[in-house]
Amino acid sequence: METVTLTPKAQPDLYIDAENITPDAFAGKTAAEIAAFHVHEGNQTGLLGTYFDVSGKAGATAAETKIVIKGDVLKVKYIGMRMTAGEILVEGSADMYIGAWMEGGRIHVRGNIDAFSGTGMKGGEIEVDGNAGNYLGAAYRGDWRGMQSGTIRVHGNAGSDIGTFMNGGTIIIDGDVDVHVGTHAEGGTIIVKGNGKSKIGGQMVKGEIYVFGTIDVMMPGYVYRKDVDLEVDGTKATFAMYEGDMGERHGKRKGEVIYGHIYQKY
Amino acid sequence: MTKIVTDVVCPFCGTLCDDLEVKVSDDGTQILEVYNACVIGTEKFLHSQAKDRLKVPQMQDEEGNWKDVSIDDAVDYTAQMLCNAKKPLMYGWSSTNCEAQSTGNEIAEIVGAVVDNTATVCHGTTLIAVQDVGVPSCTLGEVKNRADRIVFWGCNPAHAHPRHMSRYSIFPRGFFTGKGHKARKMVVVDPRSTDTAKMADVHMQIEQGRDYELLSALRVAVRGAPLPETVAGIPRETIQDVAETLKSGRFVVIFFGMGVTQTLSKNHNIDMAISLTRDLNEYTKAAIMPMRGHYNVTGSGQVLGWQFGFPFCVDLSRGFARYNPGDSSSNDLLRRGEVDAVFVLGSDPGAHFPISSVKKIAQLPSVCVDPHHTPTSAVCKLHMPVAFVGVEEAGCAYRMDNVPIETRKVVEAPEGMVSDEEFLKMVLTRVKEIKGVA
């Protein structure tokens, strides 16, 4: 695997859109060609080389390309957008839309990420050592297809609205989350190892949410069914199983109604 | 001799009352009295008659001293500011007519700006919910003639839309509602005991920030599924009774305001309320309608919608329309320092935005176009006074139920004053010159 290293040098006045920072765009390019890629600061079009020192070279395909960003990119949006393969390592914190609509490959951020990361994600893996913002793995506005596949793992806390309209894939948060987890979900798994707040699993049709800590207020549409022993992401424990959201429509399989599930650890 | 101008449309709130009568002086320059309007509407007309009204554009230097400038200077400053910015924000648009909004949007497209209207701090969350789950709505005429179950959720029309209840929702005797308010059941959901709540048949005094749970509980109750003992501080029996009241009506309308759109859960509250409306349609006829504030905020959404496909928070900086509240919304742009110039027309963010956003406006090149000197003007570099739309200028406005109504010109504007549209057209011409666009 070949590595391209981007070292931030100039801070933009405003923010830059850099949807070209993906293994797919970099594949087969030299450092000089990559430095000539376009980035957008408001209505101005600039060059990637203006904001980053580019070194190394890309592999022949996306899968053989690794991008290392040395430092914080707090004013850079859309890193890894729509990437299908390869790897991105951000050694600092990044802004919004990390791995939005990504289809494959792996993104690892050592710091924090902001909102809308993993929007409409279709595959691949995002790992964040710090905290994540709001709308992690959610759907784009008006879309009924949020995260569909892949894995997002956040070692810190996450904001609100995670996994909205999720219908596949897995989100694991080691810390706490804000309100609205898995709203409108029609599949997929969300594991919160810290505490939840309220509005968890609202309007959920199908899917699983595991909460290891507390839930301030349970949605009224959830009914306690039974206790179950489970192994969740390496943790064996007894969970209280709730079914719902009773206010929402639900499909049937083999004559049985399929509900969404919230599992809360004792 | 004075004369009476009839069928005047009130340019204050989204109810857009169209039955006002205004007594004007013989020469048609002065408004003497306003009939049929609420106190707020009356004030809007009489305000235009203020003796100390601003008539000349003013620029503020760095020490905060104001000096008068010509309209040409104002046009040039505005055009240069918009053309030199990498990402200007053009905010407001809700207290002007659709013609001005359309001209403003044209400027925004040429200069690569972000266009946002007051929905961003008001009913924008409603628009997000509508995109997520659709909306079964109706017109206010249908409410007057058919509705017999009225819900006011997180809104206080007694004060904010003073003639709403008498013209459409509670008191009028319509075609199928001959008994007026006697045949209507009124449910109010509000954590406070407002003047609207005091009139209600049922007031659900909800715990603050638990609207999402209570709406969900109503949906559960409508489906006849079990509920916890209390939800959001409301006993189970009350929730089940209200669900039954709604199901038993012939036509249910849910009106909602900023008590649900801008409190915890925001768009999800409306999402759930729309879903409740949809569920009720399994049993009876039900519709839902936002209580829009500014008289033409709905129009701004319409104009942006037909021109760019999105109703607010439209980012045109890349030459095509992008939209994502949270990223392209005014307060997020200002808070994060994503814009480098601010143009405000027909709104007062200086009074309504968080102080962190207002401080950013104060640090940037900025223009405020408004008939009055407002808190926004105080932080802007240029204040451009204009004629009152709906009083001194006619034009199209959209009522809260998306019905377009042509507003009327009642009196002449003071000599030499231009309207929003005229000012924007001058800026547009200048912008085209600077950019070299034909």
Side-chain angles (χ1 to χ4, degrees), chain A residues 160-228:
Chain A
S160 67
D161 293 278
I162 67 173
T164 303
F165 280 104
M166 184 174 184
N167 53 15
T170 308
I171 300 177
I172 304 159
I173 312 290
D174 287 348
D176 304 337
V177 292
D178 207 335
V179 292
H180 285 288
V181 176
T183 305
H184 274 296
E186 299 215 19
T189 305
I190 300 175
I191 302 167
V192 179
K193 296 196 177 166
N195 298 326
K197 277 192 173 165
S198 59
K199 305 157 212 289
I200 294 174
Q203 293 164 291
M204 185 156 87
V205 177
K206 223 168 83 180
E208 275 89 42
I209 299 174
Y210 300 87
V211 182
F212 285 25
T214 54
I215 297 176
D216 291 356
V217 180
M218 185 64 99
M219 285 296 295
Y222 279 83
V223 180
Y224 168 77
R225 295 289 193 217
K226 60 183 179 194
D227 288 354
V228 284

Side-chain angles (χ1 to χ4, degrees), chain B residues 264-338:
Chain B
L264 189 62
S265 291
K266 294 194 164 188
N267 58 312
H268 298 289
N269 288 333
I270 313 312
D271 186 319
M272 192 68 103
I274 293 171
S275 301
L276 170 65
T277 312
R278 186 181 59 202
D279 291 352
L280 285 169
N281 271 303
E282 305 247 323
Y283 304 91
T284 178
K285 169 77 185 164
I288 182 163
M289 196 185 298
M291 299 286 270
R292 304 306 295 265
H294 290 68
Y295 76 94
N296 198 23
V297 59
T298 317
S300 177
Q302 290 278 352
V303 174
L304 281 170
W306 85 60
Q307 292 184 333
F308 302 121
F310 304 111
F312 72 119
C313 294
V314 183
D315 181 350
L316 299 162
S317 61
R318 295 271 299 264
F320 53 92
R322 292 187 299 170
Y323 160 88
N324 195 5
D327 175 16
S328 62
S329 37
S330 300
N331 277 305
D332 296 281
L333 293 170
L334 288 166
R335 174 179 64 85
R336 284 160 51 88
E338 288 204 51

Side-chain angles (χ1 to χ4, degrees), chain A residues 13 15 17 19 40-43 77-78 95 97 114 140-142 161 180 184 198-199 202-203 220 247-248, chain B residues 85-86 111-112 132 209-210 212-213 219 223 265 268 271 275 317-318 322-327 336 338:
Chain A
D13 293 339
Y15 283 64
D17 293 349
E19 63 269 30
H40 302 273
E41 185 183 359
N43 52 30
K77 296 183 193 177
Y78 297 105
D95 197 48
Y97 302 104
D114 212 319
Y140 174 64
R141 304 283 182 200
D161 293 278
H180 285 288
H184 274 296
S198 59
K199 305 157 212 289
Q203 293 164 291
E248 193 56 59
Chain B
K86 288 178 183 167
V111 301
D132 281 339
R210 296 272 165 251
Y212 189 71
E213 280 86 354
R219 291 186 71 197
R223 279 168 200 258
S265 291
H268 298 289
D271 186 319
S275 301
S317 61
R318 295 271 299 264
R322 292 187 299 170
Y323 160 88
N324 195 5
D327 175 16
R336 284 160 51 88
E338 288 204 51

Side-chain angles (χ1 to χ4, degrees), chain B residues 115-432:
Chain B
V115 191
D116 198 4
N117 58 39
T118 54
T120 199
V121 288
C122 186
H123 274 288
T125 52
T126 307
L127 300 165
I128 295 171
V130 169
Q131 286 160 342
D132 281 339
V133 288
V135 64
S137 197
C138 64
T139 63
L140 287 169
E142 281 178 272
V143 175
K144 175 188 168 185
N145 287 312
R146 295 172 185 276
D148 61 346
R149 297 287 185 272
I150 309 286
V151 181
F152 287 114
W153 200 303
C155 56
N156 185 11
H159 291 279
H161 299 81
R163 298 185 70 210
H164 189 278
M165 288 189 283
S166 58
R167 273 174 65 81
Y168 305 111
S169 50
I170 302 294
F171 300 108
R173 292 161 192 263
F175 199 83
F176 300 108
T177 49
K179 287 184 180 161
H181 75 280
K182 286 185 190 136
R184 287 191 175 100
K185 282 260 186 294
M186 178 176 172
V187 178
V188 173
V189 186
D190 203 306
R192 299 175 305 164
S193 179
T194 61
D195 285 343
T196 307
K198 284 172 192 148
M199 296 166 56
D201 295 294
V202 184
H203 174 205
M204 290 203 272
Q205 199 158 6
I206 183 178
E207 267 174 39
Q208 216 160 28
R210 296 272 165 251
D211 301 88
Y212 189 71
E213 280 86 354
L214 186 58
L215 282 159
S216 177
L218 277 169
R219 291 186 71 197
V220 173
V222 165
R223 279 168 200 258
L227 274 176
E229 223 164 275
T230 59
V231 178
I234 309 292
R236 174 169 52 203
E237 292 68 32
T238 311
I239 298 169
Q240 285 164 339
D241 284 352
V242 168
E244 212 39 59
T245 305
L246 299 182
K247 276 163 83 171
S248 65
R250 285 180 302 153
F251 193 133
V252 184
V253 185
I254 302 174
F255 292 102
F256 61 95
M258 285 177 62
V260 267
T261 64
Q262 293 297 331
T263 55
L264 189 62
S265 291
K266 294 194 164 188
N267 58 312
H268 298 289
N269 288 333
I270 313 312
D271 186 319
M272 192 68 103
I274 293 171
S275 301
L276 170 65
T277 312
R278 186 181 59 202
D279 291 352
L280 285 169
N281 271 303
E282 305 247 323
Y283 304 91
T284 178
K285 169 77 185 164
I288 182 163
M289 196 185 298
M291 299 286 270
R292 304 306 295 265
H294 290 68
Y295 76 94
N296 198 23
V297 59
T298 317
S300 177
Q302 290 278 352
V303 174
L304 281 170
W306 85 60
Q307 292 184 333
F308 302 121
F310 304 111
F312 72 119
C313 294
V314 183
D315 181 350
L316 299 162
S317 61
R318 295 271 299 264
F320 53 92
R322 292 187 299 170
Y323 160 88
N324 195 5
D327 175 16
S328 62
S329 37
S330 300
N331 277 305
D332 296 281
L333 293 170
L334 288 166
R335 174 179 64 85
R336 284 160 51 88
E338 288 204 51
V339 289
D340 53 355
V342 182
F343 174 90
V344 180
L345 185 148
S347 173
D348 187 8
H352 303 128
F353 275 11
I355 189 68
S356 52
S357 300
V358 181
K359 276 182 181 165
K360 289 282 170 56
I361 299 177
Q363 291 159 5
L364 295 171
S366 41
V367 174
C368 173
V369 183
D370 203 292
H372 303 280
H373 200 275
T374 63
T376 308
S377 332
V379 295
C380 283
K381 309 298 160 300
L382 169 70
H383 176 83
M384 173 69 206
V386 282
F388 281 81
V389 179
V391 180
E392 298 161 347
E393 177 75 16
C396 180
Y398 278 74
R399 200 165 65 183
M400 63 166 72
D401 55 353
N402 288 300
V403 171
I405 295 175
E406 189 73 11
T407 61
R408 299 195 64 176
K409 179 175 176 169
V410 182
V411 288
E412 291 293 336
E415 178 119 13
M417 287 199 79
V418 294
S419 68
D420 290 327
E421 191 191 358
E422 285 164 339
F423 177 70
L424 288 165
K425 286 220 161 115
M426 287 189 267
V427 174
L428 177 61
T429 310
R430 187 75 188 102
V431 163
K432 282 181 174 172

